[in-house]
Amino acid sequence: MKIVIGHKNLNLEELFNISCLPTQNEVVVDNVISCEFNPQPPQVQNKELQQAPEILSSLALRDDHQRAILLVKLVQLIKLKKNVSKQTINHFVTILNENRKFQTPEGGNFMQSVFEHAKSQNIFFSEKELFILQAQPHTYQAIFALEVYKLQQNLRLLDTSLAYSLETLNVHTDYLNEYALTLGKSTQGATNFKNSILALIDKSKLLSTSNLPDKALNLSKVYQLHGNLHERLLQLSQILTNEFNSEYGSLFQEKKYKELIQIARDQQQEQVNILSQQVSPLSYVIQQLLQLSLVRNAHLQGQKQQQTASFEESKSADSLDLTFETLASQSLLNAYQNELWNAFSKNRAVEAELKSKAEQSQQAEVKQEEGKAGQQQRGKKKGKEAVTSLGFGAGTRKFFDYLLQINLDSQEVFLSKINVLFNKELDSVLNEVLEQRNEERRKPKCAKGTRDMTPLQMAIRERAFFIIKSVFKKHGASEIDTPVFELKETLMGKYGEESKLIYDLEDQGGELLSLRYDLTVPFARYVALNNLASIKRFHIAKVYRRDNPQMNKGRFREFYQCDFDIAGQYSLMIPDSEVLKVVIEILEQLDIGEFVIKINHRKFLDAMVEIAGCEKRKFKAICSSVDKLDKEPWEKVREELITMKGLTPEMTDKLERFVKLVGSPIELLQRLKDEQVFAGHKEGEETIKEMEVLFEYLQSMNCLHRLSFDFSLARGLDYYTGLIYEAVLTDPSNKVGSIAGGGRYDGLVGMFSGKQIPAVGVSIGIERVFAILEEKLKRDNQVRATETQIYIAQIGKNLVAERLKICSELWSIGVKAETAYQDNPKTQRQLEFTLESGIPLILWLGENEVKEGVIKIKSLSKHEEYTFKREELLDRILDIVRENPILLPQDLQPKGAEQKPEEEKKQSE
């Protein structure tokens, strides 16, 4: 299988496949990226200075670890783009695809052999390439990421083995259910473990209801540690993936890149120390679980082993080599495999004995029946069927049956087959086992993060769209549309850390496609493709994000966006001010509550990060953390910046000064000037002047009072180059997050055409707006699902043709009319339908009316009746409709309150 790297972040599955399954996978560099590499070999002044990076000699690196390191180094080299030679990239791709093995020299490391091999091929590395190859943090992140992935993939096996073992030991049912139900309320990892246990033990008959389990099993500790293991592996996999995909390339774009490189080198040891602190707790959890597994294993073999005296006090050493040894030895997986083998062997023997006894009993009954041949056995009750199998839970039963089916005659064979990483059949069995409890999956339902829309909801949405479109058109925008999917290369590299949320499609005929993530990048592609110099456009359409949905807060995986953008070369801040005016007009007309528009500037963020002394390569990571300040306190964000983003406490203290700057636009801008916050910083001082111009324009349009100048606003998208803004509701009861956002993106169109066309725009989060609007309109009874103006009802029989004729005539002049689909509908049901639907008029058609050529229309809102000749219908109906607007719910009368017409009274008499 070809694994393409370069166009997106490397994930852990790809890292494993290339590192551990080299003969089944081939590394390919994305063609789009490879065009950016330097075609010339690097100019190396002193070839004797080509030194391999230092790696802890105590780390016992296997071939898969070496390949993981080389792959991550390749990914980092690719991110250098024009600063890396094509020769260097091809060299490392060849090494990986040839599965070349490097011996570790005595007292050295395998990278020394890598460098010697390159030298033998007359390949030398530039200063910038050497920096990447010698960087220590990514070296350790690669090998830990590989081992974390291996253990994480076997988590389902560990959970299943634990449940199976505890059932075999006949532990008390209250223990399993109590701890399974109480754990996992605070963390995702513990919740995953809880769900696994409940799925496995469901309907188990092996759990004891009388005797409590031996205290040595320490089930409370077992459950806590398993939940902790789930959570730590989940967290570490995210941290390590983010870290080894982070970019150093931006360092080399600066004139003083040598100084920046030296600063980065000085900070590497601190980053390694942070990594050690992140992974060492995992080693402690594993050691604890190992000791508990030994205790259970002893019980399975009929021994009563107690916990060691140092059990509670044992701690793992806070060092990389010992933690790595704990992970790389796969000691936890091996311990659980041994425990599983003993439980399986015991249960297999028990079931074999049960079946043997059942067969003997059946044979005895047959002989007894033969001896009583010819005798009447009436009234004799049939005996209970013999038990032939153990009463495992719904999940563990399937798991046990799978183990029985495969050839597991010896423990050696057993251990080789019971590993999810190399046994896809086991992987599918565990998936089925853990989904056993989800019976609701058989019922039809919407995919996660999506929903159906009722007629009433669609009516509300249409009202919102009408308001938004009206404002867009009022400002002279034209509407466009683009495909729902784009070439994958169009979307990749535009969204920073959020690129992982893009939905990829299956390869269809050689094109790699993805569902659009937003409407801005497709718009930039549209402008470039059509060679437009300027355009003012709006676009309302669905977009797709593989996000964690929060339906009650208007956060979905499939949702509408309403975009307004102005592209073209214009004077400073004039388009920007109009875009903000558009947002304010829309939110005011939607009338969903008080709101404020937070505003900031990308160049302020750049200056803030630089003044704090942070590496520029971490700009995106820092901004993604800072952007959480509207949901989390600074203390929590600060901790994330230090532990997960690798910043020093001094850096975060400097950042704190900036991110807490917030206030009214004019006042805060004046404060920036008075306190000389950006004194000596060219871009910062220029941006202050730009903001002065913007605030002047907004003041003239009487909308500056809607803005809040907020330095904590750091929208995470990669493409913003100037002004950024976000609209939020100020009512604390509306916890839906931002309801609109946007900014200036002067470089996005140029990514597709090479021609720089500045652009600025905004996107209205219609789903979140809709959630508020729906609640408000339903509460106030201000909406109904249909717009029908008149209902054509009949009394009597054989009037279908006349009803349809009247409907057709009304439709022809634009009147919205309905009639029943039954040939002889009941009168009461027609009246009820009219009232429930909020239809203001009902035309009663009876045999007498047809004979006399008369039309009778009843107004349900005014309680008036209109009677006129049949031929006057089209002349009079438009005036009647105008006099009787659509009924809203509060206008409706109780069912049956409306009087029947005279014709019906006569018939009922």
Side-chain angles (χ1 to χ4, degrees):
M1 180 176 69
K2 289 185 178 181
I3 297 180
V4 182
I5 60 174
H7 64 282
K8 62 180 180 62
N9 285 343
L10 180 72
N11 61 46
L12 292 183
E13 183 180 5
E14 292 168 335
L15 179 70
F16 171 80
N17 287 336
I18 295 172
S19 302
C20 300
L21 306 172
T23 59
Q24 302 175 28
N25 298 279
E26 178 186 359
V27 180
V28 178
V29 179
D30 182 38
N31 289 330
V32 176
I33 300 295
S34 61
C35 296
E36 301 183 37
F37 301 146
N38 188 344
Q40 301 299 322
Q43 299 297 317
V44 181
Q45 296 179 350
N46 192 340
K47 297 180 180 180
E48 300 301 321
L49 296 178
Q50 302 274 305
Q51 296 180 352
E54 294 182 3
I55 300 177
L56 285 172
S57 59
S58 56
L59 296 181
L61 299 180
R62 300 190 301 265
D63 291 342
D64 58 338
H65 300 134
Q66 294 179 8
R67 291 177 60 80
I69 293 171
L70 293 173
L71 177 60
V72 169
K73 295 294 184 186
L74 174 60
V75 169
Q76 284 299 311
L77 288 169
I78 289 173
K79 291 181 184 294
L80 295 181
K81 297 181 180 179
K82 65 180 181 181
N83 291 302
V84 65
S85 74
K86 204 162 191 175
Q87 180 190 58
T88 300
I89 297 297
N90 291 337
H91 175 67
F92 278 93
V93 170
T94 301
I95 286 175
L96 288 166
N97 287 335
E98 289 181 351
N99 192 20
R100 183 175 294 277
K101 296 177 173 57
F102 295 96
Q103 298 296 323
T104 303
E106 187 176 351
N109 63 71
F110 86 99
M111 285 298 288
Q112 187 175 334
S113 300
V114 173
F115 272 60
E116 290 174 358
H117 172 68
K119 187 176 180 180
S120 70
Q121 302 290 315
N122 200 30
I123 294 175
F124 298 91
F125 307 115
S126 68
E127 181 182 17
K128 298 172 183 178
E129 292 170 350
L130 275 175
F131 172 75
I132 296 298
L133 293 173
Q134 293 173 347
Q136 283 189 334
H138 287 149
T139 300
Y140 299 126
Q141 288 157 5
I143 57 178
F144 275 101
L146 180 62
E147 292 303 330
V148 164
Y149 177 80
K150 290 178 182 178
L151 185 53
Q152 190 176 31
Q153 291 305 296
N154 273 302
L155 268 181
R156 291 164 301 162
L157 176 61
L158 299 184
D159 293 345
T160 306
S161 299
L162 174 64
Y164 183 77
S165 177
L166 294 176
E167 275 189 289
T168 305
L169 291 169
N170 305 122
V171 299
H172 197 279
T173 181
D174 288 346
Y175 272 71
L176 283 180
N177 285 291
E178 178 186 350
Y179 289 114
L181 289 171
T182 56
L183 271 173
K185 291 183 179 179
S186 58
T187 64
Q188 184 61 44
T191 300
N192 292 340
F193 172 66
K194 176 192 71 175
N195 293 336
S196 297
I197 290 295
L198 288 175
L200 291 161
I201 66 172
D202 188 34
K203 301 177 183 177
S204 174
K205 296 179 181 178
L206 293 182
L207 303 178
S208 171
T209 57
S210 55
N211 298 323
L212 294 177
D214 194 308
K215 290 183 179 180
L217 294 180
N218 206 340
L219 291 183
S220 175
K221 191 75 172 180
V222 171
Y223 273 63
Q224 291 171 10
L225 289 169
H226 263 270
N228 194 302
L229 180 66
H230 274 262
E231 181 63 21
R232 288 197 179 278
L233 288 176
L234 182 66
Q235 186 181 49
L236 278 174
S237 64
Q238 294 171 345
I239 292 173
L240 294 169
T241 303
N242 289 337
E243 284 297 325
F244 67 61
N245 279 298
S246 63
E247 296 186 27
Y248 278 103
S250 58
L251 291 176
F252 308 119
Q253 297 173 9
E254 303 293 327
K255 293 180 180 179
K256 300 179 180 180
Y257 77 87
K258 291 189 177 182
E259 296 176 17
L260 295 173
I261 286 177
Q262 188 55 50
I263 293 173
R265 282 199 178 103
D266 294 341
Q267 292 177 345
Q268 284 185 9
Q269 185 55 50
E270 186 172 354
Q271 293 176 32
V272 173
N273 293 338
I274 290 173
L275 174 64
S276 180
Q277 294 168 10
Q278 290 169 336
V279 298
S280 58
L282 182 61
S283 178
Y284 171 70
V285 172
I286 291 174
Q287 289 180 12
Q288 299 281 295
L289 285 172
L290 280 172
Q291 295 189 51
L292 287 164
S293 177
L294 289 174
V295 173
R296 292 194 302 274
N297 216 351
H299 278 65
L300 286 168
Q301 298 177 49
Q303 304 169 10
K304 293 294 181 181
Q305 178 175 327
Q306 300 298 319
Q307 298 171 18
T308 59
S310 60
F311 176 76
E312 293 295 340
E313 292 77 21
S314 64
K315 299 283 182 183
S316 62
D318 186 12
S319 60
L320 277 177
D321 51 355
L322 291 179
T323 304
F324 178 71
E325 181 183 353
T326 302
L327 280 169
S329 64
Q330 299 186 12
S331 55
L332 185 62
L333 176 62
N334 293 335
Y336 274 64
Q337 285 175 327
N338 286 323
E339 185 181 340
L340 180 60
W341 166 255
N342 287 324
F344 168 69
S345 301
K346 181 177 180 179
N347 291 325
R348 181 171 58 176
V350 171
E351 281 212 350
E353 185 178 354
L354 288 174
K355 288 178 181 177
S356 176
K357 288 181 178 179
E359 288 176 2
Q360 294 174 7
S361 177
Q362 187 177 13
Q363 290 172 1
E365 287 180 6
V366 170
K367 289 181 180 180
Q368 187 178 7
E369 289 296 324
E370 290 175 350
K372 296 179 179 180
Q375 296 182 13
Q376 295 293 329
Q377 297 293 323
R378 295 173 185 160
K380 183 176 180 180
K381 294 183 180 179
K382 190 175 181 181
K384 292 183 180 180
E385 290 188 9
V387 177
T388 59
S389 61
L390 293 169
F392 285 107
T396 44
R397 178 74 250 179
K398 283 200 169 190
F399 182 60
F400 181 56
D401 289 342
Y402 167 74
L403 297 179
L404 289 172
Q405 290 171 10
I406 59 179
N407 183 18
L408 298 173
D409 292 335
S410 68
Q411 186 172 1
E412 183 179 355
V413 174
F414 181 89
L415 296 179
S416 66
K417 289 189 175 183
I418 306 303
N419 189 326
V420 170
L421 292 168
F422 307 105
N423 186 345
K424 296 302 179 186
E425 185 182 15
L426 173 62
D427 188 35
S428 63
V429 168
L430 289 172
N431 277 333
E432 183 180 354
V433 161
L434 294 174
E435 289 178 1
Q436 178 71 26
R437 195 167 179 264
N438 298 329
E439 294 296 330
E440 66 273 9
R441 291 176 64 89
R442 299 182 182 179
K443 300 176 183 177
K445 64 176 184 177
C446 290
K448 185 178 181 181
T450 64
R451 62 171 173 170
D452 295 321
M453 301 297 294
T454 66
L456 186 63
Q457 290 173 321
M458 286 304 297
I460 298 171
R461 171 166 288 183
E462 188 174 348
R463 179 183 293 194
F465 282 159
F466 176 77
I467 292 172
I468 294 168
K469 278 190 175 184
S470 298
V471 175
F472 287 163
K473 290 179 179 180
K474 182 171 64 175
H475 285 261
S478 303
E479 187 171 13
I480 69 165
D481 193 16
T482 61
V484 73
F485 51 81
E486 296 275 352
L487 290 173
K488 189 171 184 176
E489 63 192 53
T490 299
L491 304 182
M492 299 311 298
K494 312 297 190 305
Y495 304 105
E497 291 184 3
E498 295 181 1
S499 293
K500 62 187 178 184
L501 303 180
I502 293 175
Y503 271 108
D504 294 331
L505 302 178
E506 290 284 344
D507 184 2
Q508 300 291 334
E511 283 191 333
L512 294 176
L513 305 173
S514 299
L515 294 178
R516 60 188 174 204
Y517 179 86
D518 66 2
L519 301 179
T520 307
V521 172
F523 169 60
R525 192 263 309 149
Y526 172 90
V527 172
L529 184 64
N530 291 279
N531 197 27
L532 301 176
S534 64
I535 185 176
K536 183 190 290 186
R537 82 86 164 93
F538 74 89
H539 189 186
I540 298 177
K542 287 183 176 181
V543 298
Y544 301 85
R545 297 183 183 179
R546 196 161 47 86
D547 204 349
N548 186 29
Q550 293 177 288
M551 313 283 275
N552 60 328
K553 295 184 179 180
R555 188 172 183 173
F556 301 89
R557 289 183 167 180
E558 177 194 57
F559 56 96
Y560 272 98
Q561 279 192 340
C562 305
D563 278 23
F564 176 91
D565 294 82
I566 302 173
Q569 294 283 353
Y570 300 108
S571 298
L572 178 68
M573 290 297 178
I574 298 177
D576 308 65
S577 60
E578 184 178 10
V579 171
L580 286 167
K581 178 65 174 176
V582 166
V583 180
I584 291 169
E585 286 185 4
I586 288 173
L587 296 181
E588 286 178 344
Q589 291 186 33
L590 286 172
D591 191 25
I592 55 175
E594 285 300 311
F595 63 90
V596 65
I597 298 178
K598 297 179 181 180
I599 192 168
N600 200 1
H601 201 291
R602 166 67 187 260
K603 291 180 181 178
F604 279 150
L605 295 173
D606 286 326
M608 174 180 78
V609 171
E610 187 173 333
I611 292 171
C614 307
E615 299 175 70
K616 281 203 169 184
R617 72 181 182 90
K618 292 192 174 184
F619 173 79
K620 300 170 192 173
I622 292 170
C623 286
S624 69
S625 296
V626 170
D627 202 39
K628 297 175 182 177
L629 282 171
D630 60 336
K631 307 179 190 72
E632 299 176 356
W634 166 250
E635 290 71 22
K636 191 169 183 180
V637 172
R638 183 178 187 274
E639 182 183 357
E640 180 180 307
L641 287 169
I642 295 173
T643 59
M644 297 181 66
K645 304 300 171 70
L647 269 62
T648 64
E650 293 76 16
M651 293 176 182
T652 58
D653 291 341
K654 291 178 181 178
L655 284 175
E656 183 181 7
R657 175 195 175 197
F658 288 98
V659 299
K660 290 189 174 181
L661 290 172
V662 59
S664 65
I666 300 297
E667 291 178 2
L668 184 54
L669 194 65
Q670 188 61 46
R671 179 182 168 189
L672 295 178
K673 292 189 288 186
D674 292 344
E675 296 181 7
Q676 298 184 339
V677 174
F678 294 105
H681 194 282
K682 183 180 178 182
E683 280 195 345
E685 292 176 338
E686 289 176 352
T687 307
I688 288 177
K689 295 177 181 178
E690 290 183 19
M691 299 298 277
E692 280 184 313
V693 175
L694 174 69
F695 295 158
E696 179 187 351
Y697 294 160
L698 291 173
Q699 185 72 56
S700 67
M701 291 188 286
N702 193 31
C703 54
L704 191 61
H705 65 286
R706 290 290 191 181
L707 269 61
S708 170
F709 197 176
D710 191 340
F711 269 69
S712 69
L713 178 63
R715 291 176 63 81
L717 301 182
D718 272 9
Y719 48 70
Y720 288 126
T721 58
L723 196 66
I724 53 176
Y725 34 84
E726 184 175 84
V728 295
L729 295 175
T730 56
D731 185 350
S733 64
N734 286 322
K735 299 178 180 179
V736 295
S738 65
I739 52 177
R744 173 161 287 279
Y745 50 99
D746 290 346
L748 190 55
V749 177
M751 291 184 182
F752 300 107
S753 66
K755 182 180 178 181
Q756 296 298 331
I757 298 179
V760 62
V762 68
S763 179
I764 308 295
I766 188 62
E767 299 296 345
R768 296 180 178 183
V769 168
F770 172 70
I772 302 166
L773 200 59
E774 180 182 5
E775 183 181 349
K776 180 178 182 294
L777 292 176
K778 282 184 177 180
R779 183 181 62 244
D780 298 338
N781 288 326
Q782 289 293 316
V783 69
R784 73 182 183 97
T786 65
E787 296 183 4
T788 306
Q789 296 167 313
I790 187 168
Y791 187 84
I792 314 303
Q794 82 172 52
I795 302 171
K797 299 181 179 180
N798 304 321
L799 295 173
V800 175
E802 184 63 22
R803 280 192 287 136
L804 293 175
K805 182 179 180 180
I806 292 176
C807 282
S808 180
E809 291 176 7
L810 295 176
W811 293 333
S812 69
I813 62 172
V815 175
K816 300 167 184 176
E818 268 191 273
T819 191
Y821 293 124
Q822 293 82 20
D823 53 0
N824 295 304
K826 293 181 179 181
T827 305
Q828 184 65 25
R829 184 66 195 100
Q830 293 177 91
L831 181 59
E832 288 175 354
F833 177 81
T834 307
L835 288 167
E836 289 169 359
S837 302
I839 302 172
L841 299 168
I842 184 167
L843 187 154
W844 288 104
L845 190 64
E847 294 175 2
N848 289 345
E849 282 82 4
V850 174
K851 288 178 183 179
E852 297 171 6
V854 174
I855 291 292
K856 291 183 179 180
I857 298 176
K858 183 73 174 182
S859 169
L860 300 180
S861 57
K862 293 186 174 183
H863 305 289
E864 297 178 358
E865 188 173 286
Y866 306 88
T867 304
F868 47 84
K869 292 182 179 181
R870 169 70 173 82
E871 56 267 24
E872 297 176 359
L873 175 62
L874 298 187
D875 295 329
R876 305 238 354 226
I877 190 63
L878 292 177
D879 290 333
I880 295 173
V881 165
R882 277 192 290 270
E883 293 172 5
N884 294 269
I886 293 172
L887 283 176
L888 293 171
Q890 70 269 23
D891 302 320
L892 302 182
Q893 293 185 7
K895 294 180 181 179
E898 189 64 38
Q899 295 297 317
K900 301 178 184 178
E902 292 297 321
E903 179 69 24
E904 185 187 358
K905 287 184 179 180
K906 293 178 182 179
Q907 290 185 3
S908 64
E909 292 174 355

